[in-house]
Amino acid sequence: MQPVIRHDWTLEEIQALFKLPFNDLLFKAHSTHRAYFNANEVQVSTLLSIKTGACPEDCKYCPQSARYDTGLHKEKLLEVKKVLEKAKQAKKNGSTRFCMGAAWRNPKDRDIPYIVEMIKGVRALNLETCMTLGMLSREQAITLQQAGLDYYNHNLDTSPEYYGEIITTRTFKDRLDTLENVRASGMKVCSGGIVGMGEKASDRAGLIRSLANLDAHPESVPINMLVRVEGTPLADNQDFDHLEFIRTIAVARIVLPKSYVRLSAGRTEMSEEMQAMCFFAGANSIFYGEKLLTTENPEANSDMQLFKKLGIQPEQRRGYDDTVTVAAISEAIGESQNKESALFYNAAL
Ligand code: SAM
Ligand code: DTB
Ligand code: SF4
């Protein structure tokens, strides 16, 4: 029986899921996962920071806020050509989605023509496109959608109750408004949060509840484990309990049965066994490649080895002809290149 898609979860119901005996929770999550997904496939995305650091916002977890001295090397908006070179590399390595992130409160109108060119170029490679640029107005969302942007990432980050402890320069409601603008434009929504920021268990339940009770579930739900960066206010936070992290993935899977749940930041701290358990609990997407936006991610090779050990295949984009588009983009960035398709799995093994 297909799990029912609900948008009316109470906090108590979500908390009750968190409190299930671990094996019962994992069984329920894994069974839900199999109702909509191939349990042996994981979607693979690559991230690129297209504008780094000097952000005016005060998100306490973030190495890119101008308010904290994290020793980060700042960079202006990358040239379109550079972005397309990186996208091509990501595709060669087997990613099916290319996510571009900018350390902005929101994009300025003067940035939009460059952003549009990036979207068109990455799309011409037959990669799915995703961007995370901060708050978005309705008009901006429509412009990006018309340029061909598939996904917009904007995280709720934590529960409405804990939110003010982490960010003061924009409200939880601002975030919901951006998500509404993205949804209304017709783009797919990517929204999730971070655990390990000193929040209570009820806040983790509150975050998942806020995501599950959106009018439509986000197609993609990144669950980040805080990366503690020196210089940020959360740098000295305690280690986050790994079993509680797995529980968070499992509960997200149960209440968001059709969404891709992404095992996002924090994987360098996770053992193979822990990641395997996250996949069992319903995580079915990862960021692939040595870097997230500014911090480390596991080496590509070790991810491929792990996939091989677990019998996991990277999910392929179906129904696309790579030949035409790779040639087109090669030409656009001035290279002559033969067809290269997403064969990284075989190539790496
Ligand atoms: N500036 C835009 C914004 O905040 O909307 C987009 C980029 S921002 C870096 C994207 C997301 O990365 C944040 O919402 C947060 O969830 C996640 N993130 C940032 N720093 C992190 C860290 N140290 N650990 C885990 N996740 C982090
Ligand atoms: C998301 O939820 N996690 C990614 C992506 N969306 C943009 C970002 C993680 C950033 C981790 C810190 C860094 O590398 O700067
Ligand atoms: Fe800026 Fe985004 Fe980092 Fe917040 S999370 S400081 S908005 S880059």
Side-chain angles (χ1 to χ4, degrees):
M1 211 176 64
Q2 299 282 61
V4 183
I5 309 287
R6 289 180 49 192
H7 301 269
D8 60 352
W9 290 89
T10 65
L11 191 64
E12 292 69 29
E13 283 178 305
I14 308 246
Q15 286 178 307
L17 288 173
F18 267 98
K19 285 183 186 145
L20 282 174
F22 193 72
N23 286 342
D24 289 349
L25 175 61
L26 257 65
F27 179 71
K28 197 173 171 66
H30 189 72
S31 311
T32 306
H33 188 42
R34 281 180 180 264
Y36 288 108
F37 291 104
N38 177 339
N40 302 311
E41 277 188 0
V42 169
Q43 191 279 328
V44 175
S45 299
T46 292
L47 251 183
L48 176 70
S49 179
I50 58 171
K51 187 266 167 185
T52 307
C55 183
E57 302 293 280
D58 70 351
C59 315
K60 284 204 175 102
Y61 49 76
C62 188
Q64 303 205 64
S65 167
R67 300 170 192 235
Y68 318 129
D69 181 9
T70 60
L72 185 70
H73 178 69
K74 295 178 274 193
E75 241 178 308
K76 292 200 179 113
L77 186 63
L78 294 182
E79 283 177 31
V80 177
K81 185 168 182 258
K82 182 94 188 276
V83 174
L84 298 187
E85 280 163 10
K86 294 276 186 190
K88 195 162 172 236
Q89 196 63 47
K91 184 180 175 76
K92 247 194 240 177
N93 292 339
S95 281
T96 56
R97 193 177 307 158
F98 193 64
C99 308
M100 296 157 267
W104 286 327
R105 172 177 165 81
N106 54 267
K108 307 255 182 333
D109 287 343
R110 63 165 189 263
D111 304 315
I112 297 291
Y114 300 100
I115 295 295
V116 163
E117 283 313 301
M118 289 176 196
I119 296 167
K120 288 184 174 161
V122 175
R123 220 164 185 246
L125 268 173
N126 258 340
L127 281 162
E128 287 184 312
T129 49
C130 177
M131 284 192 165
T132 180
L133 314 171
M135 295 188 284
L136 222 54
S137 67
R138 182 73 58 112
E139 296 68 34
Q140 287 175 325
I142 291 168
T143 303
L144 300 190
Q145 190 275 336
Q146 285 175 348
L149 189 61
D150 297 299
Y151 288 83
Y152 195 79
N153 166 246
H154 197 66
N155 291 338
L156 293 182
D157 276 347
T158 188
S159 68
E161 293 74 23
Y162 194 59
Y163 184 88
E165 297 291 317
I166 300 296
I167 300 139
T168 68
T169 48
R170 72 174 88 154
T171 64
F172 196 81
K173 166 78 167 51
D174 288 332
R175 290 189 182 249
L176 293 174
D177 289 347
T178 290
L179 292 185
E180 205 178 299
N181 292 337
V182 172
R183 187 53 88 194
S185 77
M187 282 189 280
K188 293 185 187 135
V189 171
C190 173
S191 188
I194 313 179
V195 301
M197 298 195 295
E199 73 282 348
K200 296 200 287 274
S202 59
D203 294 310
R204 288 187 284 282
L207 164 68
I208 306 280
R209 176 176 183 241
S210 301
L211 293 166
N213 287 353
L214 290 170
D215 288 341
H217 288 172
E219 282 78 4
S220 171
V221 177
I223 305 291
N224 298 278
M225 190 168 84
L226 176 70
V227 179
R228 292 165 293 187
V229 180
E230 208 56 53
T232 62
L234 303 183
D236 298 325
N237 268 29
Q238 286 183 344
D239 287 349
F240 187 68
D241 181 71
H242 282 188
L243 293 176
E244 182 65 11
F245 185 86
I246 299 164
R247 281 184 182 273
T248 310
I249 297 275
V251 175
R253 167 49 66 223
I254 293 166
V255 302
L256 297 154
K258 287 174 92 167
S259 307
Y260 281 79
V261 175
R262 182 176 302 131
L263 187 52
S264 299
R267 286 199 302 120
T268 53
E269 301 273 313
M270 298 178 197
S271 68
E272 288 192 335
E273 293 83 351
M274 155 122 180
Q275 292 182 64
M277 208 159 254
C278 289
F279 294 135
F280 185 78
N284 61 346
S285 173
I286 59 164
F287 285 121
Y288 177 71
E290 277 82 39
K291 207 139 182 227
L292 290 165
L293 289 173
T294 67
T295 63
E296 304 291 301
N297 201 34
E299 297 218 345
N301 246 344
S302 60
D303 277 341
M304 282 312 103
Q305 291 305 327
L306 178 59
F307 275 18
K308 189 182 177 199
K309 285 186 202 176
L310 301 176
I312 286 177
Q313 298 281 341
E315 188 187 80
Q316 300 291 317
R317 267 195 99 184
R318 293 180 180 91
Y320 288 87
D321 176 4
D322 274 354
T323 325
V324 184
T325 49
V326 174
I329 197 74
S330 293
E331 201 181 303
I333 64 173
E335 279 179 33
S336 80
Q337 186 95 36
N338 293 329
K339 179 193 169 188
E340 284 146 3
S341 57
L343 292 175
F344 80 132
Y345 188 62
N346 293 332
L349 301 178

